[in-house]
Amino acid sequence: MKEIIFLNTIRKVLSNTEYLGDDCANLKELGIAVTQDTLVENVHFSMKYCNAYQLGYKAIVVNLSDLFAAGAKPEYISISLSLPPDTTEDFIHDFYKATDELAKKYDFKVIGGDITGSEKIVISICAIGKTKNRNISSRAFAKEGYTVIVTGEHGSSSAGLELLQSGKFNEKFINAHLMPEISSEFSEEISTKTSKPYAMADSSDGLADALFKIAESSNVTICVDFDKIPYEKDLEQFDYKKKILFGGEDYKLVASVDKTELEKISSNLYTIIGTVEKKESCPLKIKTKDKIIKIKDLENTFNHFKGD
Amino acid sequence: MKEIIFLNTIRKVLSNTEYLGDDCANLKELGIAVTQDTLVENVHFSMKYCNAYQLGYKAIVVNLSDLFAAGAKPEYISISLSLPPDTTEDFIHDFYKATDELAKKYDFKVIGGDITGSEKIVISICAIGKTKNRNISSRAFAKEGYTVIVTGEHGSSSAGLELLQSGKFNEKFINAHLMPEISSEFSEEISTKTSKPYAMADSSDGLADALFKIAESSNVTICVDFDKIPYEKDLEQFDYKKKILFGGEDYKLVASVDKTELEKISSNLYTIIGTVEKKESCPLKIKTKDKIIKIKDLENTFNHFKGD
């Protein structure tokens, strides 16, 4: 993966790398967490499959999800749009209609950004959340004995994308892909009711990826019981195990939390799927009915689940 | 201009527009100013004319310049890169080499961002500056009787771009375009030594554009003496009047300041070019040797200066 090589190069070149590592930068001195995500047309989305309202919705929640993964409360959002010459006023109207509705729902303010020309649509959003009086997560905070939980259901977004690409329709899955529900309530509770360190990430790049990154950053092994991972029953029509673990873009939360701390959080907001163990040769172990799959390297893991 | 139509649409759709208007959003509650700028390949830059180091340099200073125009002190920078598949490690190395040098020079930290794929290079940077104990500008703060000043020389960047596009060479102008010097010292002094409101903007879209926007936002007319605007003598080989007023990308500061307040600032850091007057029928008047040009509309003003 070129991205990893590039990130290593960046770490080598920069004199100060203390703020790199998590999806959000936790700027303690200012009491804020900051995240920035960019969506590029035909890489992250296609206007064949969504409208401007759905695009605006997704571009915003992708960033809110990063703040929620940190345990921060969204406060300000800056939006930079690069747009082709044929962009219409209706596009802008609908994109910002979604933005405004989310601003009301999650209580944040839009603080500007810019509009520039470009061949393809590029949306770059910077989101700022408050961290004051909150317990803020880090990928590196998982500890042996911690409980591993997820919010929501997994794999639906990937099924939605497959349906869109094949011209089929199923509202549930397509909505999960185009307008994912994010886990603000769990984030609010864990960051305001707990006090011990916890590790949290969102499942933007897939559930296995989030678990893997937490385990690697925390120097532990995470052991997950596959059968405990919640998913929509109809997903079994698809290559569902792969979608649940590697699908991506569900934007649900994945956390490793102290057991007693977890009890402070409303139990309807999460599902326990595993535990944090002492570091073994692999960062991630997934138990299925008849075997334990050890994941050493995410890239080559797909095959383990084919026809499993 | 479509951008203006789009910005009006955004203002209509959003329920809360209090943070829109200036290049930086001034978040008083957090003691920070935030700006975001995006550069798109073949729209804002071409790899035919610059290398990765120069691109990194410019992408960063464009954002620092917005913070300096607010009177804020740069503290944190988030960088989102969208890169074509053929991007090399050397590109990343050189881009971040420039970033790191600027981080040391201007004392800010890089707090992350992301790397994604794309057909063309897109760089979106979000910069956060501190505003605590500083007098922060707004475009709307110019008042009748204020003195109008600029920092640095004007028009050189546009000459540099013309040279690059025509395959000619002149280090002075080309450097002014690829690696513009920004006005941190003036920004530091005006924001820490003065206490009355002042209007400031950078000349990213041209000197006339910055003056025009300040005048319109402040509901005044700005009167400028063209002969007082500093420029590099060799610029006279070009269509220099046009370049000075409308060239853009010089990233110098333009301010309207109370006269007594201005005296607190080191006089070598700025040049007085005009005054703020009561609002007339046009936001901007430019005096040349033999006439006064009234600018009501930036789009149609170029012609006044042709062969003048």
PDB file of all heavy atoms in Angstrom, chain B residues 44-67:
ATOM      1  N   HIS B  44      -4.743  25.684 -10.308  1.00  0.00           N
ATOM      2  CA  HIS B  44      -3.939  26.619  -9.506  1.00  0.00           C
ATOM      3  C   HIS B  44      -2.446  26.461  -9.707  1.00  0.00           C
ATOM      4  O   HIS B  44      -1.677  27.333  -9.323  1.00  0.00           O
ATOM      5  CB  HIS B  44      -4.263  26.425  -8.022  1.00  0.00           C
ATOM      6  CG  HIS B  44      -5.700  26.619  -7.701  1.00  0.00           C
ATOM      7  ND1 HIS B  44      -6.570  25.575  -7.580  1.00  0.00           N
ATOM      8  CD2 HIS B  44      -6.433  27.741  -7.518  1.00  0.00           C
ATOM      9  CE1 HIS B  44      -7.781  26.047  -7.296  1.00  0.00           C
ATOM     10  NE2 HIS B  44      -7.727  27.343  -7.278  1.00  0.00           N
ATOM     11  N   PHE B  45      -2.038  25.357 -10.221  1.00  0.00           N
ATOM     12  CA  PHE B  45      -0.605  25.143 -10.462  1.00  0.00           C
ATOM     13  C   PHE B  45      -0.432  24.086 -11.537  1.00  0.00           C
ATOM     14  O   PHE B  45      -1.373  23.345 -11.853  1.00  0.00           O
ATOM     15  CB  PHE B  45       0.113  24.696  -9.171  1.00  0.00           C
ATOM     16  CG  PHE B  45      -0.337  23.348  -8.677  1.00  0.00           C
ATOM     17  CD1 PHE B  45       0.314  22.181  -9.091  1.00  0.00           C
ATOM     18  CD2 PHE B  45      -1.424  23.221  -7.834  1.00  0.00           C
ATOM     19  CE1 PHE B  45      -0.112  20.925  -8.667  1.00  0.00           C
ATOM     20  CE2 PHE B  45      -1.871  21.966  -7.405  1.00  0.00           C
ATOM     21  CZ  PHE B  45      -1.210  20.822  -7.817  1.00  0.00           C
ATOM     22  N   SER B  46       0.767  24.051 -12.094  1.00  0.00           N
ATOM     23  CA  SER B  46       1.096  23.015 -13.076  1.00  0.00           C
ATOM     24  C   SER B  46       2.459  22.449 -12.736  1.00  0.00           C
ATOM     25  O   SER B  46       3.407  23.192 -12.437  1.00  0.00           O
ATOM     26  CB  SER B  46       1.120  23.631 -14.473  1.00  0.00           C
ATOM     27  OG  SER B  46       1.770  22.722 -15.351  1.00  0.00           O
ATOM     28  N   MET B  47       2.576  21.126 -12.748  1.00  0.00           N
ATOM     29  CA  MET B  47       3.869  20.509 -12.455  1.00  0.00           C
ATOM     30  C   MET B  47       4.872  20.760 -13.589  1.00  0.00           C
ATOM     31  O   MET B  47       6.049  20.417 -13.446  1.00  0.00           O
ATOM     32  CB  MET B  47       3.712  19.004 -12.178  1.00  0.00           C
ATOM     33  CG  MET B  47       2.918  18.658 -10.914  1.00  0.00           C
ATOM     34  SD  MET B  47       3.402  19.566  -9.404  1.00  0.00           S
ATOM     35  CE  MET B  47       5.010  18.823  -9.056  1.00  0.00           C
ATOM     36  N   LYS B  48       4.404  21.358 -14.694  1.00  0.00           N
ATOM     37  CA  LYS B  48       5.345  21.781 -15.741  1.00  0.00           C
ATOM     38  C   LYS B  48       6.223  22.933 -15.239  1.00  0.00           C
ATOM     39  O   LYS B  48       7.332  23.141 -15.708  1.00  0.00           O
ATOM     40  CB  LYS B  48       4.567  22.281 -16.972  1.00  0.00           C
ATOM     41  CG  LYS B  48       4.091  21.195 -17.898  1.00  0.00           C
ATOM     42  CD  LYS B  48       3.611  21.764 -19.223  1.00  0.00           C
ATOM     43  CE  LYS B  48       2.272  22.479 -19.062  1.00  0.00           C
ATOM     44  NZ  LYS B  48       1.660  22.914 -20.307  1.00  0.00           N
ATOM     45  N   TYR B  49       5.699  23.714 -14.316  1.00  0.00           N
ATOM     46  CA  TYR B  49       6.384  24.939 -13.896  1.00  0.00           C
ATOM     47  C   TYR B  49       6.983  24.898 -12.495  1.00  0.00           C
ATOM     48  O   TYR B  49       7.667  25.828 -12.077  1.00  0.00           O
ATOM     49  CB  TYR B  49       5.425  26.140 -13.968  1.00  0.00           C
ATOM     50  CG  TYR B  49       4.751  26.315 -15.298  1.00  0.00           C
ATOM     51  CD1 TYR B  49       3.413  26.679 -15.389  1.00  0.00           C
ATOM     52  CD2 TYR B  49       5.456  26.126 -16.495  1.00  0.00           C
ATOM     53  CE1 TYR B  49       2.790  26.845 -16.615  1.00  0.00           C
ATOM     54  CE2 TYR B  49       4.845  26.279 -17.721  1.00  0.00           C
ATOM     55  CZ  TYR B  49       3.508  26.636 -17.774  1.00  0.00           C
ATOM     56  OH  TYR B  49       2.896  26.788 -18.985  1.00  0.00           O
ATOM     57  N   CYS B  50       6.655  23.864 -11.732  1.00  0.00           N
ATOM     58  CA  CYS B  50       7.210  23.833 -10.373  1.00  0.00           C
ATOM     59  C   CYS B  50       7.588  22.408 -10.003  1.00  0.00           C
ATOM     60  O   CYS B  50       7.159  21.452 -10.647  1.00  0.00           O
ATOM     61  CB  CYS B  50       6.213  24.393  -9.366  1.00  0.00           C
ATOM     62  SG  CYS B  50       4.773  23.349  -9.089  1.00  0.00           S
ATOM     63  N   ASN B  51       8.418  22.291  -8.960  1.00  0.00           N
ATOM     64  CA  ASN B  51       8.714  20.962  -8.440  1.00  0.00           C
ATOM     65  C   ASN B  51       7.944  20.745  -7.133  1.00  0.00           C
ATOM     66  O   ASN B  51       7.244  21.651  -6.650  1.00  0.00           O
ATOM     67  CB  ASN B  51      10.235  20.778  -8.265  1.00  0.00           C
ATOM     68  CG  ASN B  51      10.833  21.828  -7.346  1.00  0.00           C
ATOM     69  OD1 ASN B  51      10.233  22.193  -6.336  1.00  0.00           O
ATOM     70  ND2 ASN B  51      12.019  22.333  -7.696  1.00  0.00           N
ATOM     71  N   ALA B  52       8.083  19.550  -6.559  1.00  0.00           N
ATOM     72  CA  ALA B  52       7.286  19.197  -5.374  1.00  0.00           C
ATOM     73  C   ALA B  52       7.639  20.089  -4.178  1.00  0.00           C
ATOM     74  O   ALA B  52       6.767  20.443  -3.381  1.00  0.00           O
ATOM     75  CB  ALA B  52       7.505  17.726  -5.019  1.00  0.00           C
ATOM     76  N   TYR B  53       8.914  20.478  -4.078  1.00  0.00           N
ATOM     77  CA  TYR B  53       9.330  21.351  -2.975  1.00  0.00           C
ATOM     78  C   TYR B  53       8.627  22.703  -3.080  1.00  0.00           C
ATOM     79  O   TYR B  53       8.052  23.219  -2.108  1.00  0.00           O
ATOM     80  CB  TYR B  53      10.851  21.532  -3.005  1.00  0.00           C
ATOM     81  CG  TYR B  53      11.373  22.438  -1.915  1.00  0.00           C
ATOM     82  CD1 TYR B  53      11.761  21.925  -0.680  1.00  0.00           C
ATOM     83  CD2 TYR B  53      11.471  23.813  -2.118  1.00  0.00           C
ATOM     84  CE1 TYR B  53      12.229  22.756   0.327  1.00  0.00           C
ATOM     85  CE2 TYR B  53      11.930  24.651  -1.121  1.00  0.00           C
ATOM     86  CZ  TYR B  53      12.312  24.118   0.099  1.00  0.00           C
ATOM     87  OH  TYR B  53      12.760  24.948   1.107  1.00  0.00           O
ATOM     88  N   GLN B  54       8.670  23.256  -4.298  1.00  0.00           N
ATOM     89  CA  GLN B  54       8.029  24.562  -4.509  1.00  0.00           C
ATOM     90  C   GLN B  54       6.520  24.476  -4.307  1.00  0.00           C
ATOM     91  O   GLN B  54       5.892  25.386  -3.763  1.00  0.00           O
ATOM     92  CB  GLN B  54       8.343  25.064  -5.928  1.00  0.00           C
ATOM     93  CG  GLN B  54       9.812  25.442  -6.104  1.00  0.00           C
ATOM     94  CD  GLN B  54      10.228  25.554  -7.556  1.00  0.00           C
ATOM     95  OE1 GLN B  54       9.701  24.847  -8.430  1.00  0.00           O
ATOM     96  NE2 GLN B  54      11.193  26.428  -7.824  1.00  0.00           N
ATOM     97  N   LEU B  55       5.929  23.356  -4.734  1.00  0.00           N
ATOM     98  CA  LEU B  55       4.489  23.169  -4.564  1.00  0.00           C
ATOM     99  C   LEU B  55       4.120  23.112  -3.075  1.00  0.00           C
ATOM    100  O   LEU B  55       3.157  23.754  -2.630  1.00  0.00           O
ATOM    101  CB  LEU B  55       4.050  21.883  -5.261  1.00  0.00           C
ATOM    102  CG  LEU B  55       2.562  21.569  -5.209  1.00  0.00           C
ATOM    103  CD1 LEU B  55       1.749  22.655  -5.914  1.00  0.00           C
ATOM    104  CD2 LEU B  55       2.278  20.203  -5.844  1.00  0.00           C
ATOM    105  N   GLY B  56       4.904  22.350  -2.316  1.00  0.00           N
ATOM    106  CA  GLY B  56       4.669  22.266  -0.869  1.00  0.00           C
ATOM    107  C   GLY B  56       4.802  23.634  -0.221  1.00  0.00           C
ATOM    108  O   GLY B  56       3.961  24.039   0.585  1.00  0.00           O
ATOM    109  N   TYR B  57       5.864  24.338  -0.625  1.00  0.00           N
ATOM    110  CA  TYR B  57       6.094  25.687  -0.084  1.00  0.00           C
ATOM    111  C   TYR B  57       4.869  26.566  -0.318  1.00  0.00           C
ATOM    112  O   TYR B  57       4.311  27.161   0.592  1.00  0.00           O
ATOM    113  CB  TYR B  57       7.323  26.302  -0.747  1.00  0.00           C
ATOM    114  CG  TYR B  57       7.646  27.694  -0.232  1.00  0.00           C
ATOM    115  CD1 TYR B  57       8.604  27.881   0.761  1.00  0.00           C
ATOM    116  CD2 TYR B  57       6.981  28.817  -0.717  1.00  0.00           C
ATOM    117  CE1 TYR B  57       8.895  29.138   1.251  1.00  0.00           C
ATOM    118  CE2 TYR B  57       7.251  30.081  -0.226  1.00  0.00           C
ATOM    119  CZ  TYR B  57       8.211  30.237   0.751  1.00  0.00           C
ATOM    120  OH  TYR B  57       8.477  31.500   1.237  1.00  0.00           O
ATOM    121  N   LYS B  58       4.428  26.598  -1.581  1.00  0.00           N
ATOM    122  CA  LYS B  58       3.328  27.511  -1.921  1.00  0.00           C
ATOM    123  C   LYS B  58       2.010  27.096  -1.250  1.00  0.00           C
ATOM    124  O   LYS B  58       1.274  27.948  -0.734  1.00  0.00           O
ATOM    125  CB  LYS B  58       3.145  27.594  -3.432  1.00  0.00           C
ATOM    126  CG  LYS B  58       2.134  28.670  -3.813  1.00  0.00           C
ATOM    127  CD  LYS B  58       2.404  29.285  -5.145  1.00  0.00           C
ATOM    128  CE  LYS B  58       1.364  30.298  -5.519  1.00  0.00           C
ATOM    129  NZ  LYS B  58       1.603  30.857  -6.861  1.00  0.00           N
ATOM    130  N   ALA B  59       1.728  25.803  -1.236  1.00  0.00           N
ATOM    131  CA  ALA B  59       0.474  25.330  -0.629  1.00  0.00           C
ATOM    132  C   ALA B  59       0.391  25.750   0.841  1.00  0.00           C
ATOM    133  O   ALA B  59      -0.678  26.111   1.334  1.00  0.00           O
ATOM    134  CB  ALA B  59       0.372  23.812  -0.754  1.00  0.00           C
ATOM    135  N   ILE B  60       1.532  25.708   1.519  1.00  0.00           N
ATOM    136  CA  ILE B  60       1.543  26.093   2.935  1.00  0.00           C
ATOM    137  C   ILE B  60       1.432  27.616   3.086  1.00  0.00           C
ATOM    138  O   ILE B  60       0.605  28.114   3.858  1.00  0.00           O
ATOM    139  CB  ILE B  60       2.843  25.613   3.638  1.00  0.00           C
ATOM    140  CG1 ILE B  60       2.979  24.084   3.564  1.00  0.00           C
ATOM    141  CG2 ILE B  60       2.872  26.102   5.082  1.00  0.00           C
ATOM    142  CD1 ILE B  60       2.033  23.300   4.401  1.00  0.00           C
ATOM    143  N   VAL B  61       2.252  28.382   2.346  1.00  0.00           N
ATOM    144  CA  VAL B  61       2.264  29.837   2.586  1.00  0.00           C
ATOM    145  C   VAL B  61       0.946  30.500   2.191  1.00  0.00           C
ATOM    146  O   VAL B  61       0.559  31.511   2.773  1.00  0.00           O
ATOM    147  CB  VAL B  61       3.462  30.581   1.927  1.00  0.00           C
ATOM    148  CG1 VAL B  61       4.768  30.114   2.537  1.00  0.00           C
ATOM    149  CG2 VAL B  61       3.456  30.486   0.425  1.00  0.00           C
ATOM    150  N   VAL B  62       0.250  29.928   1.226  1.00  0.00           N
ATOM    151  CA  VAL B  62      -1.066  30.442   0.848  1.00  0.00           C
ATOM    152  C   VAL B  62      -1.997  30.438   2.077  1.00  0.00           C
ATOM    153  O   VAL B  62      -2.775  31.371   2.297  1.00  0.00           O
ATOM    154  CB  VAL B  62      -1.650  29.549  -0.272  1.00  0.00           C
ATOM    155  CG1 VAL B  62      -3.139  29.728  -0.410  1.00  0.00           C
ATOM    156  CG2 VAL B  62      -0.945  29.820  -1.583  1.00  0.00           C
ATOM    157  N   ASN B  63      -1.909  29.398   2.874  1.00  0.00           N
ATOM    158  CA  ASN B  63      -2.735  29.305   4.078  1.00  0.00           C
ATOM    159  C   ASN B  63      -2.198  30.154   5.228  1.00  0.00           C
ATOM    160  O   ASN B  63      -2.962  30.793   5.947  1.00  0.00           O
ATOM    161  CB  ASN B  63      -2.870  27.834   4.516  1.00  0.00           C
ATOM    162  CG  ASN B  63      -3.888  27.097   3.665  1.00  0.00           C
ATOM    163  OD1 ASN B  63      -5.074  27.197   3.901  1.00  0.00           O
ATOM    164  ND2 ASN B  63      -3.416  26.405   2.639  1.00  0.00           N
ATOM    165  N   LEU B  64      -0.854  30.174   5.377  1.00  0.00           N
ATOM    166  CA  LEU B  64      -0.272  31.044   6.409  1.00  0.00           C
ATOM    167  C   LEU B  64      -0.672  32.488   6.138  1.00  0.00           C
ATOM    168  O   LEU B  64      -0.985  33.255   7.047  1.00  0.00           O
ATOM    169  CB  LEU B  64       1.262  30.924   6.412  1.00  0.00           C
ATOM    170  CG  LEU B  64       1.856  29.567   6.776  1.00  0.00           C
ATOM    171  CD1 LEU B  64       3.385  29.647   6.748  1.00  0.00           C
ATOM    172  CD2 LEU B  64       1.389  29.114   8.159  1.00  0.00           C
ATOM    173  N   SER B  65      -0.652  32.857   4.854  1.00  0.00           N
ATOM    174  CA  SER B  65      -0.979  34.228   4.464  1.00  0.00           C
ATOM    175  C   SER B  65      -2.389  34.617   4.923  1.00  0.00           C
ATOM    176  O   SER B  65      -2.615  35.747   5.376  1.00  0.00           O
ATOM    177  CB  SER B  65      -0.832  34.368   2.945  1.00  0.00           C
ATOM    178  OG  SER B  65      -1.139  35.680   2.539  1.00  0.00           O
ATOM    179  N   ASP B  66      -3.336  33.680   4.826  1.00  0.00           N
ATOM    180  CA  ASP B  66      -4.702  33.945   5.324  1.00  0.00           C
ATOM    181  C   ASP B  66      -4.699  34.198   6.832  1.00  0.00           C
ATOM    182  O   ASP B  66      -5.406  35.075   7.323  1.00  0.00           O
ATOM    183  CB  ASP B  66      -5.628  32.755   5.014  1.00  0.00           C
ATOM    184  CG  ASP B  66      -6.173  32.808   3.589  1.00  0.00           C
ATOM    185  OD1 ASP B  66      -6.263  33.913   3.015  1.00  0.00           O
ATOM    186  OD2 ASP B  66      -6.528  31.744   3.057  1.00  0.00           O
ATOM    187  N   LEU B  67      -3.916  33.394   7.556  1.00  0.00           N
ATOM    188  CA  LEU B  67      -3.841  33.610   9.013  1.00  0.00           C
ATOM    189  C   LEU B  67      -3.188  34.959   9.312  1.00  0.00           C
ATOM    190  O   LEU B  67      -3.646  35.702  10.186  1.00  0.00           O
ATOM    191  CB  LEU B  67      -3.039  32.487   9.691  1.00  0.00           C
ATOM    192  CG  LEU B  67      -3.678  31.104   9.731  1.00  0.00           C
ATOM    193  CD1 LEU B  67      -2.754  30.116  10.447  1.00  0.00           C
ATOM    194  CD2 LEU B  67      -5.029  31.124  10.443  1.00  0.00           C
TER     195      LEU B  67
END
